[in-house]
Amino acid sequence: MPLRWPAPSTMRWLILATLLVFWELMPRTKIVPELFLPSLSKTLAVLYSDRLEYVEALGVTLYEVAIAMLFACGAGILMGALGGGVALLRNLLLPVFSSLYAVPIVILYPIFTAWLGVGSESKIAFAGVYGFFPVMLSTAAGIRTIDPQYVLAARSMGATLSQQITRVVIPASIPTVLTGLRLGGALTIIGVVVAEMLTSAAGIGYLVTRYRTILDSPRVFAAILMILVLSVMFDVLARGLERRTLAWQTAGRRPRRSREIMQAVPAGAPA
Amino acid sequence: MTRTQIILTRLVLLGLVVATWELLPRLGFVNPRLLPPLSDVLTMLGQLLGRAQVQEAIWVTAAEVIVAFMIAVPLGAAIGVLIAENDYVGDIFRPMLFYVFSIPKSIFLPMFILIFGIGFGQKVAYAAFSTTFVVIMSAAAAVESVKADHILVARSYGATRGQILTRVYVPSMLPVLLETLRISMIFNFTGVMIAEMYASRTGIGHLIANWGENFQMRQLFAGVILLAVVAILFNEAVRYLESRCSTWRA
């Protein structure tokens, strides 16, 4: 072979590095106007000089994300477990919920701001609803993948119902719950940011919108960069947690293919 | 429960929701200014549909949704097939798509506004951008859903590449492809809505955001009901086709 391509992981870092270099060079060489894309160094400089403002905004956003996540994941996992586990609810309600999922939830946001004002409450409510549906649907789907043989085996060895639940169903559903948490977290971050961008008076999304209206591109990109880092960091952390807890369950399995990713993210996160 | 019982129970539940929405504000349990009774909202919806301004907004939104869809689906499908068919490209990009899913695409809206201004092009570009990733993902999934055994059998019976494509790939992928279209439409619709609500002069999303800001709750709820019904109907229509296509597929 005359040409050996580098390993995929090396290639990924190369692509990332190239993107960063382009981000720096394109505006500097005036190929792209500074207004559209301020250079990376300028963005970072602004981020550093205005760090107090950005950290404060990050605090507001994180607070909203944390509370919304509590609602979305708590209610989503609970309802999903009920909906997936109880046949009656499954037949009755799951199809209804997956039909409702087609509705772009963002159109509800004006209702939340009219009801709850432009403060944190409306963001929490919106992001909570935004995260709830996918978490519930993925939990319901995940609960059903528990091998019925396990429950059958436990039952035939004389396990009581409570033993079946605590010893079989709960341990077997941990992967599903963790996926639900990761999904819910990512979605509530998206929901909070979208809500802050649309109508608000604080938070990182608000900074994006405020600096956009006054055409201060470096500050817009500083906020964008912060959100990017925030969501990627959350994803890496959540995935790390999942891998740690699941090492014994996924050992020896093939790496996930696209189909499984799609199922783990039922239609994922619009917006 | 039998099928009829399930449908009946669902209708009863729907009736309960409708009755609650109508009665709570009427009986004074909630402020009708915050939650107008359903009948008022529906009357308003009828009036709105007759207004020229609203009709124009509906056409603008529909055009944006359709154009963005026609850009995002072929583009995403091409990349998705490449990722699924070429192992090297797949190994590079598949893990990256994980992260892309967890990033709020809306943060790039300011870029689209700076580049395209506030108008048709910007909304279409943003919606296509936010949809492409999910199309890539589901197209890759569709290609991978083709069973390798089927291809092997076809090839050993001497099928040509074209025959394998039309006789093995297309039939196996059809249900997943329909699912792809359905899911991309959800993303696409959401993308257009966000773009219109964020900065726009026309379109239903713009109207909804305006009604919300001006506290015109009847108009706001009417708009939400209209959009929700359209989205659900499209989704159910494609789902019906999906189930028709998968009955003969093992």
Side-chain angles (χ1 to χ4, degrees), chain B residues 175-194:
Chain B
V176 192
L177 280 182
L178 284 170
E179 193 190 350
T180 306
L181 290 183
R182 185 170 63 83
I183 291 170
S184 357
M185 193 44 120
I186 298 180
F187 275 62
N188 190 27
F189 199 32
T190 308
V192 168
M193 280 304 130
I194 290 183

Side-chain angles (χ1 to χ4, degrees), chain B residues 83-105:
Chain B
I83 284 181
E85 286 289 286
N86 185 320
D87 282 337
Y88 184 66
V89 178
D91 284 343
I92 293 175
F93 287 104
R94 208 173 275 130
M96 286 176 135
L97 287 171
F98 270 136
Y99 298 115
V100 171
F101 261 115
S102 61
I103 292 170
K105 316 283 178 302

Side-chain angles (χ1 to χ4, degrees), chain A residues 107-120:
Chain A
I107 60 175
L108 299 182
Y109 184 61
I111 300 180
F112 288 121
T113 46
W115 282 353
L116 304 168
V118 293
S120 287

Side-chain angles (χ1 to χ4, degrees), chain B:
Chain B
M1 278 211 292
T2 63
R3 217 176 141 63
T4 7
Q5 275 174 319
I6 287 179
I7 292 173
L8 277 178
T9 324
R10 274 191 207 147
L11 283 177
V12 170
L13 286 176
L14 179 68
L16 274 178
V17 172
V18 167
T20 321
W21 188 344
E22 181 65 32
L23 289 178
L24 281 185
R26 285 243 181 266
L27 298 177
F29 287 108
V30 292
N31 186 347
R33 272 176 54 80
L34 290 178
L35 183 73
L38 183 58
S39 53
D40 287 7
V41 172
L42 292 178
T43 325
M44 177 53 77
L45 180 58
Q47 287 172 17
L48 286 178
L49 286 176
R51 282 190 207 161
Q53 184 210 12
V54 175
Q55 286 170 357
E56 193 203 315
I58 292 177
W59 286 119
V60 170
T61 303
E64 284 163 359
V65 168
I66 292 168
V67 176
F69 193 69
M70 291 195 325
I71 295 172
V73 169
L75 182 69
I79 302 175
V81 170
L82 186 70
I83 284 181
E85 286 289 286
N86 185 320
D87 282 337
Y88 184 66
V89 178
D91 284 343
I92 293 175
F93 287 104
R94 208 173 275 130
M96 286 176 135
L97 287 171
F98 270 136
Y99 298 115
V100 171
F101 261 115
S102 61
I103 292 170
K105 316 283 178 302
S106 59
I107 55 173
F108 298 108
L109 254 174
M111 267 176 104
F112 285 91
I113 294 173
L114 285 170
I115 296 171
F116 292 94
I118 294 175
F120 192 80
Q122 168 245 338
K123 262 128 229 141
V124 168
Y126 171 73
F129 163 78
S130 66
T131 312
T132 307
F133 299 103
V134 75
V135 183
I136 295 177
M137 216 58 186
S138 2
V143 174
E144 284 164 12
S145 75
V146 178
K147 288 200 181 71
D149 294 351
H150 292 179
I151 301 171
L152 190 66
V153 170
R155 208 178 288 153
S156 22
Y157 277 101
T160 63
R161 270 185 93 87
Q163 279 174 326
I164 292 180
L165 188 70
T166 53
R167 301 290 174 86
V168 182
Y169 272 84
V170 171
S172 322
M173 281 163 51
L174 202 55
V176 192
L177 280 182
L178 284 170
E179 193 190 350
T180 306
L181 290 183
R182 185 170 63 83
I183 291 170
S184 357
M185 193 44 120
I186 298 180
F187 275 62
N188 190 27
F189 199 32
T190 308
V192 168
M193 280 304 130
I194 290 183
E196 283 184 351
M197 288 171 72
Y198 189 59
S200 180
R201 286 186 213 95
T202 178
I204 291 286
H206 166 68
L207 287 180
I208 284 189
N210 248 3
W211 288 328
E213 273 164 27
N214 301 329
F215 221 73
Q216 294 168 293
M217 295 307 273
R218 278 188 303 165
Q219 284 88 333
L220 175 56
F221 274 103
V224 169
I225 288 185
L226 174 70
L227 289 174
V229 168
V230 171
I232 290 176
L233 283 182
F234 177 84
N235 194 45
E236 291 308 306
V238 181
R239 267 231 290 232
Y240 174 73
L241 284 180
E242 253 173 67
S243 65
R244 292 285 304 263
C245 286
S246 21
T247 41
W248 47 267
R249 185 177 181 252

